[in-house]
């Protein structure tokens, strides 16, 4: 069989997702100043930045791997570990903090046995904290799978996280087709 | 005489779909651009200079003056970069502005680029706010479709391309030179000045870096004239600004008012503190500005008066804390933020924020000693003015000011063997679960 895919550049192991990263790199003409945007695209496709992936980006942009690694570790939005299936981010910025975000984090940590930044062993939930989401008037704020939740309480958030994790959740499906993490970041 | 609100930027924020081009145009949007394109670029710079508009991003540098620092065109590229990396704790004015009326920024950008003869402009948006990013992309699409951005804008022969750039999560990228490094795809670390960005900025080309609100104020100035703008505010702090109230107030949010309004007036509009609680301390301009207390309620919030009272106007992010809040705990929280966000380039900031966090943590737990307070001040002394960029300086202001006003509270942590406050009392849901 004639393998048409041979002309699509990609990864030696044949993972097609690398070709999608390459498409972005080609579109931006291998510009080194596009490194951050390229990493955004790569992370949107893969969910996190593995060493393999960073090495691939470095090769394609003709940058030293150390530069790619240093940029990936400098910015908070880049994840070097695979995230869980569902995400819960609690804002711990000042306004949220004084209005009790700490006890929300504490409640969730105790319930799921997680420190902020960790993922449950079954890979279902990642708990994170953010410094400030710029929604100080809605404090305390959490983000559940990309949707901002205002005026949170420890019990309320716990319940919402439970429903997020429960496959038979009664939560209505979001009508908005464009969820924040659907990979449309690329221009 | 009571100061009243002046909704100019926020004029139609409450209308349905306020973010669309149609709504913006129905409120006179892009009229200012037509006015501007009919005049010479230098005239626009002079006009903004005459209005006295000062940078709304914190430092308060006159915007028109900044524009006039660009060298004469040499045929090479020049850039406008809009700083939308709003990440300071408490500061929440640019994000609502961009969500509610992104076209105001775009019109301001086109006018500003015309004035400084830049044909390419960037918006450096904070990476966390994906919803704002999507809104800006849509707004840009609409503006381009209507011929306000792109080639030969409104038949004037002026070309402008605007690029929306989402950051990747780093507070330091709000510092203008770190922002430029980040825009070039590198780690966001500040550059040595001089050369200033006006001479060698993005890709070593002449660049103007302005805050969102500064640029968004330009259309109204062009449309109404510098005298109209000067009639608002005070003599040296002209015009209006967004005041962002957050914390223990009944109605937090954006209050657009002339500079020089007082917190007392703003609190009246915001319904006062919750449950009639007492005001304990507040920040006039975000966490990097020294704290104020109840005795500063009547300080006019303009650049000069706030500075004279020992703080900075900053970004007009008024975080209000009532008497249930432990100041040590709040300061510790801020310091943890600065420690986390210190870019690591210079030693005073990288190490200073780390050590101050350690000391504050032990004080809050009641484990420190009275000498620790002097140690804190000593560290502050070694960070302030010795760090590479203003991040380090900003990190010290909450420590020195809180020690100035609340030294006894620090000490009571030691005599009490821990924090004398119940953290639950300061929460939104205080008393709710009782």
């Amino acid at each position: 069989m004639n393998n048409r895919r041979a002309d699509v550049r990609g990864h030696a192991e044949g993972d097609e997702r690398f070709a999608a990263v390459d498409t972005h790199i080609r579109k931006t003409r291998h510009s080194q100043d596009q490194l951050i945007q390229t990493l955004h695209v790569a992370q949107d496709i893969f969910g996190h930045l593995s060493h393999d992936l960073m090495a691939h980006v470095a090769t394609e942009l003709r940058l030293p791997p150390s530069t790619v690694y240093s940029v990936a570790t400098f910015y908070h939005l880049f994840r070097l570990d695979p995230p869980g299936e569902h995400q819960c981010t609690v804002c711990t910025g000042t306004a949220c903090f004084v209005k009790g975000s700490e006890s929300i984090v504490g409640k969730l940590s105790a319930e799921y046995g997680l420190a902020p930044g960790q993922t449950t062993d079954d890979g279902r939930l990642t708990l994170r904290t953010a410094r400030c989401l710029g929604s100080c008037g809605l404090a305390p704020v959490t983000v559940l799978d990309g949707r901002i939740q205002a005026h949170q309480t420890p019990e309320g958030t716990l319940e919402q996280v439970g429903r997020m994790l429960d496959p038979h959740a009664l939560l209505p499906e979001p009508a908005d087709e464009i969820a924040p993490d659907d990979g449309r970041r690329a221009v | 005489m009571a100061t009243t609100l002046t909704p100019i930027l926020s004029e139609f924020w409450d209308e349905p779909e306020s973010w669309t081009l149609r709504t913006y145009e129905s409120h006179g949007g892009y009229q200012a651009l037509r006015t501007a394109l009919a005049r010479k670029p230098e005239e626009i710079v002079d006009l903004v200079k005459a209005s006295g508009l000062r940078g709304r991003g914190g430092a308060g540098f006159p915007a028109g003056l900044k524009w006039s620092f660009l060298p004469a065109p040499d045929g090479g590229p020049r850039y406008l970069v809009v700083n939308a990396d709003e990440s300071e704790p408490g500061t929440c004015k640019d994000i609502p502005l961009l969500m509610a009326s992104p076209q105001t920024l775009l019109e301001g950008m086109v006018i500003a680029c015309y004035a400084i003869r830049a044909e390419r402009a960037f918006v450096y948006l904070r990476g966390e706010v994906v919803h704002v990013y999507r809104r800006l992309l849509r707004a840009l699409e609409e503006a381009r479709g209507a011929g306000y951005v792109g080639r030969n804008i409104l038949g004037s022969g002026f070309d402008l391309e605007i690029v929306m750039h989402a950051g990747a999560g780093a507070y330091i990228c709000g510092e203008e030179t770190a922002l430029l490094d980040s825009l070039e795809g590198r780690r966001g670390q500040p550059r040595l000045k001089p050369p200033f960005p006006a001479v060698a900025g993005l890709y070593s080309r002449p660049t103007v870096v302005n805050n969102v609100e500064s640029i968004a104020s330009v259309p109204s100035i062009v449309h109404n004239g510098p005298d109209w703008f000067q009639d608002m505010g005070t003599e040296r702090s002209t015009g209006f600004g967004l005041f962002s109230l957050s914390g223990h107030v009944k109605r937090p949010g954006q209050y657009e008012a002339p500079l020089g309004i007082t917190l007392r007036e703003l609190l009246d509009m915001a319904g006062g503190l919750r449950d009639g609680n007492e005001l304990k301390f507040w920040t006039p301009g975000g966490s990097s500005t020294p704290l104020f207390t109840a005795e500063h309620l009547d300080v006019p919030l303009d650049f000069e008066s706030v500075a004279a009272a020992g703080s900075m106007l900053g970004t007009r992010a008024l975080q209000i804390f009532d008497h249930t809040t432990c100041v040590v705990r709040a300061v510790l929280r801020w310091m943890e933020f600065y420690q986390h966000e210190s870019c690591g380039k210079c030693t005073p900031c990288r190490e200073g924020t780390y050590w101050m966090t350690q000391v504050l943590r032990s004080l809050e737990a009641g484990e420190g000693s009275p000498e620790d307070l002097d140690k804190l001040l000593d560290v502050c002394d070694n960070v302030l003015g010795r760090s590479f960029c203003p991040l380090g300086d900003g990190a010290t202001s909450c420590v020195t000011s809180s020690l100035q006003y609340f030294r006894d509270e620090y000490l009571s942590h030691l005599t009490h063997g821990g924090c004398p406050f119940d953290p639950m009392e300061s929460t939104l849901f205080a008393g709710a679960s009782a």
Side-chain angles (χ1 to χ4, degrees):
Chain A
M1 196 175 78
N2 187 10
N3 188 359
R4 284 170 168 268
R5 214 171 282 144
D7 60 338
V8 177
R9 295 173 70 194
H11 193 255
E13 284 175 19
D15 187 337
E16 285 178 29
R17 293 178 296 175
F18 283 97
V21 176
D22 289 349
T23 306
H24 172 80
I25 293 175
R26 250 198 321 277
K27 250 199 302 200
T28 54
R29 298 178 202 159
H30 292 252
S31 320
Q32 297 180 334
D33 56 0
Q34 284 291 316
L35 174 60
I36 293 174
Q37 301 303 6
T38 308
L39 290 176
H40 270 311
V41 170
Q43 179 167 284
D44 279 342
I45 294 169
F46 283 82
H48 74 289
L49 300 173
S50 64
H51 284 253
D52 211 19
L53 181 54
M54 285 189 280
H56 180 79
V57 170
T59 312
E60 289 297 318
L61 295 184
R62 300 208 179 112
L63 282 166
S66 59
T67 303
V68 176
Y69 184 75
S70 80
V71 167
T73 49
F74 184 85
Y75 295 100
H76 309 320
L77 291 189
F78 295 129
R79 299 183 289 257
L80 272 55
D81 299 312
E85 209 176 309
H86 296 279
Q87 325 271 330
C88 172
T89 305
V90 184
C91 179
T92 58
T94 319
C96 293
F97 178 72
V98 296
K99 287 183 163 181
S101 66
E102 203 179 37
S103 43
I104 298 177
V105 176
K107 189 98 182 167
L108 292 168
S109 294
E111 177 73 20
Y112 293 99
L114 289 176
Q118 290 182 338
T119 304
T120 48
D121 289 337
D122 61 2
R124 298 223 51 212
L125 177 70
T126 302
L127 178 65
R128 289 208 187 89
T129 54
R131 286 294 161 163
C132 179
L133 297 170
S135 312
C136 306
L138 306 176
V141 164
T142 63
V143 184
L144 302 183
D145 278 349
R147 303 178 76 83
I148 290 202
Q149 316 284 335
H151 307 304
Q152 296 284 287
T153 61
E155 287 74 22
T157 308
L158 191 64
E159 191 197 316
Q160 282 177 312
V161 170
R163 278 197 283 164
M164 177 170 78
L165 292 175
D166 182 358
H168 307 294
L170 298 171
L171 272 179
E173 280 298 306
D176 184 1
E177 287 276 297
I178 308 168
D181 268 338
D182 70 344
R184 296 198 190 188
R185 184 187 287 277
V187 185
Chain B
M1 188 184 73
T3 318
T4 49
L5 292 177
T6 50
I8 292 152
L9 295 174
S10 55
E11 184 195 343
F12 51 90
W13 282 13
D14 53 352
E15 286 197 8
E17 308 216 314
S18 65
W19 53 88
T20 58
L21 181 61
R22 195 192 312 155
T23 313
Y24 187 59
E25 282 179 328
S26 73
H27 287 274
Y30 287 103
Q31 288 305 320
L33 176 60
R34 290 185 169 87
T35 314
L37 290 175
R39 303 174 73 170
K40 287 205 184 87
E42 306 85 64
E43 289 175 22
I44 307 296
V45 176
D46 289 340
L47 190 145
V48 173
K49 232 192 236 176
S51 75
L53 171 68
R54 294 175 65 170
R56 298 293 192 241
F61 194 81
L65 198 58
K66 204 183 220 180
W67 294 2
S68 65
F69 283 160
L70 286 193
D74 59 359
R78 328 150 51 89
Y79 303 109
L80 171 75
V81 176
V82 174
N83 183 348
D85 190 55
E86 180 177 67
S87 335
E88 170 118 346
T91 303
C92 52
K93 62 185 180 66
D94 296 341
I95 287 169
L97 193 158
L98 293 176
M99 279 308 275
S101 95
Q103 296 292 349
T104 318
L105 174 71
L106 291 180
E107 183 178 8
M109 285 178 76
V110 183
I111 297 173
C113 285
Y114 176 71
I116 64 169
R117 299 189 163 95
E119 295 193 346
R120 189 165 274 262
F122 297 84
V123 177
Y124 186 98
L125 181 69
R126 202 181 154 198
E128 284 89 338
V129 286
V130 189
H131 52 306
V132 183
Y133 184 61
R134 286 201 302 262
R135 180 145 296 173
L136 278 176
L137 287 181
R138 179 80 193 102
L140 180 58
E141 217 173 277
E142 277 194 298
R144 190 176 281 139
Y148 296 127
V149 176
R151 300 193 72 80
N152 192 15
I153 295 169
L154 300 177
S156 64
F158 173 62
D159 302 336
L160 174 67
E161 219 22 78
I162 295 180
V163 179
M164 299 293 168
H165 175 100
Y171 169 66
I172 185 68
C173 292
E175 199 280 332
E176 60 177 4
T177 57
L179 185 151
L180 295 175
D181 256 27
S182 177
L183 204 50
E184 293 176 16
R186 295 200 285 265
R187 289 165 72 96
Q189 290 185 322
R191 300 175 182 173
L192 188 64
K193 293 192 270 194
F196 288 92
V199 179
L202 191 64
Y203 304 108
S204 297
R205 293 294 306 169
T207 305
V208 167
V209 185
N210 273 143
N211 175 261
V212 170
E213 201 188 335
S214 316
I215 292 289
S217 304
V218 170
S220 61
I221 296 174
V222 171
H223 191 256
N224 299 299
D227 296 336
W228 164 83
F229 193 74
Q230 276 190 327
D231 280 346
M232 286 178 273
T234 63
E235 195 188 336
R236 293 180 59 201
S237 303
T238 54
F240 50 86
L242 292 167
F243 291 81
S244 320
L245 268 72
S246 66
H248 293 137
V249 286
K250 279 215 181 99
R251 289 191 294 275
Q254 310 299 322
Y255 293 80
E256 192 174 5
L259 301 186
I261 195 172
T262 64
L263 179 66
R264 194 185 296 281
E265 290 169 312
L266 284 167
L267 276 181
D268 279 345
M269 299 176 198
L273 269 68
R274 57 160 194 177
D275 305 335
N277 281 1
E278 266 171 61
L279 175 67
K280 183 170 173 183
F281 59 98
W282 54 289
T283 63
S287 60
S288 299
T289 57
L291 302 178
F292 271 167
T293 61
E295 64 180 277
H296 300 100
L297 268 171
D298 294 311
V299 173
L301 294 171
D302 60 64
F303 291 101
E304 289 73 30
S305 311
V306 176
S311 188
M312 286 180 291
L313 186 60
T315 52
R316 286 153 280 112
L318 309 158
Q319 300 181 87
I320 317 293
F321 300 88
D322 69 18
H323 69 270
T324 60
T325 320
C326 170
V327 72
V328 184
R329 203 160 156 263
V331 171
L332 165 63
R333 201 64 194 164
W334 280 321
M335 196 52 71
E336 285 176 340
F337 171 83
Y338 289 111
Q339 187 213 328
H340 187 257
E341 295 296 338
S342 174
C343 75
K345 178 164 181 152
C346 74
T347 312
C349 171
R350 183 185 63 236
E351 303 299 320
T353 51
Y354 172 81
W355 282 108
M356 284 195 279
T357 308
Q358 304 300 311
V359 173
L360 284 165
R361 218 172 258 162
S362 76
L363 282 171
E364 166 70 3
E367 289 161 357
S369 68
E371 290 83 67
D372 283 346
L373 305 189
D374 298 322
K375 194 185 290 168
L376 274 179
L377 289 175
D378 185 47
V379 176
C380 285
D381 196 37
N382 280 297
V383 175
L384 184 65
R386 290 178 168 81
S387 46
F388 197 85
C389 82
L391 189 149
D393 298 344
T396 64
S397 48
C398 58
V399 176
T400 42
S401 59
S402 64
L403 274 165
Q404 180 188 344
Y405 300 119
F406 300 102
R407 198 182 182 95
D408 291 345
E409 194 171 311
Y410 276 87
L411 290 171
S412 74
H413 277 70
L414 303 176
T415 50
H416 192 267
C419 185
F421 290 86
D422 175 6
M424 285 305 284
E425 274 185 27
S426 64
T427 61
L428 175 72
F429 37 90
S433 54

